[in-house]
Amino acid sequence: ISVPIFADWCVVDVAGTDGALVRRAVSPRDSVDAKVGIASIAQRAPVPNQQVVIERVFRTGIPEWIADSPDAVLGDVPRSDDDLRLARQLGVRSFLCCPLRTQAGTLGVISFATSLSGRTYSAADLIAAEDLANRMAIAIENGSLLAALRDADRRKDEFLAMLAHE
């Protein structure tokens, strides 16, 4: 829903079992150029302990917003010449990155960027992005709880079947 109404692309990174971020979703604006760029972005998960926005937001739990500064976005995101070339090719203009926080901690981050639309994010957009991130974190946490409940229910059924058999 956030693409193309709110962003030209959206990326979701979630903490894996080892605590490192794992790229889970990339949603491009419906454009051939963006799809090529996003396909490349999908293969570039954040590098642990690197001072990039996504990793920093994950570690600190503090959202970051770059209103309208392509150079600031380019200076923080790329990790190689290929990444720099890709970021310039995509024409990233404005960027929001919000933590997916729950009471248990930060589960990951969701990032939004504009490029083709020429839109720049405002403080109100940051509030909306934080709200979306909070709702997404709750959905992820609820999914985990549901999976744990189903697993416990399955184990109970197996135990009862074993008792009935004996």
Side-chain angles (χ1 to χ4, degrees):
I1 287 180
S2 65
V3 175
I5 296 168
F6 186 71
D8 291 330
W9 56 271
C10 175
V11 177
V12 177
D13 298 290
V14 179
T17 54
D18 62 354
L21 288 175
V22 177
R23 181 117 321 142
R24 292 290 185 203
V26 178
S27 182
R29 184 181 180 97
D30 190 21
S31 161
V32 174
D33 289 341
K35 285 181 182 175
V36 170
I38 298 304
S40 297
I41 287 172
Q43 300 167 5
R44 290 175 164 81
V47 177
N49 302 319
Q50 190 158 7
Q51 290 297 317
V52 295
V53 173
I54 292 169
E55 182 69 26
R56 191 168 52 241
V57 168
F58 177 64
R59 276 194 336 275
T60 65
I62 300 169
E64 293 200 26
W65 161 40
I66 300 171
D68 187 14
S69 177
D71 289 339
V73 174
L74 291 176
D76 226 4
V77 174
R79 293 178 297 280
S80 70
D81 289 342
D82 287 341
D83 287 349
L84 184 60
R85 197 169 17 264
L86 174 63
R88 284 189 176 136
Q89 188 178 25
L90 288 174
V92 175
R93 178 173 182 167
S94 194
F95 182 79
L96 291 169
C97 186
C98 296
L100 300 171
R101 287 186 299 246
T102 66
Q103 291 180 350
T106 303
L107 304 176
V109 297
I110 185 168
S111 305
F112 304 96
T114 64
S115 59
L116 300 173
S117 66
R119 178 177 186 213
T120 57
Y121 289 123
S122 67
D125 292 323
L126 178 59
I127 292 168
E130 286 182 288
D131 183 56
L132 180 61
N134 290 335
R135 292 169 189 259
M136 187 174 192
I138 290 168
I140 291 170
E141 189 174 47
N142 285 345
S144 295
L145 292 171
L146 181 60
L149 181 63
R150 285 182 177 158
D151 185 51
D153 191 46
R154 179 191 52 77
R155 287 194 314 256
K156 175 200 65 149
D157 289 345
E158 289 172 359
F159 177 72
L160 291 174
M162 182 185 71
L163 280 177
H165 180 69
E166 306 250 343

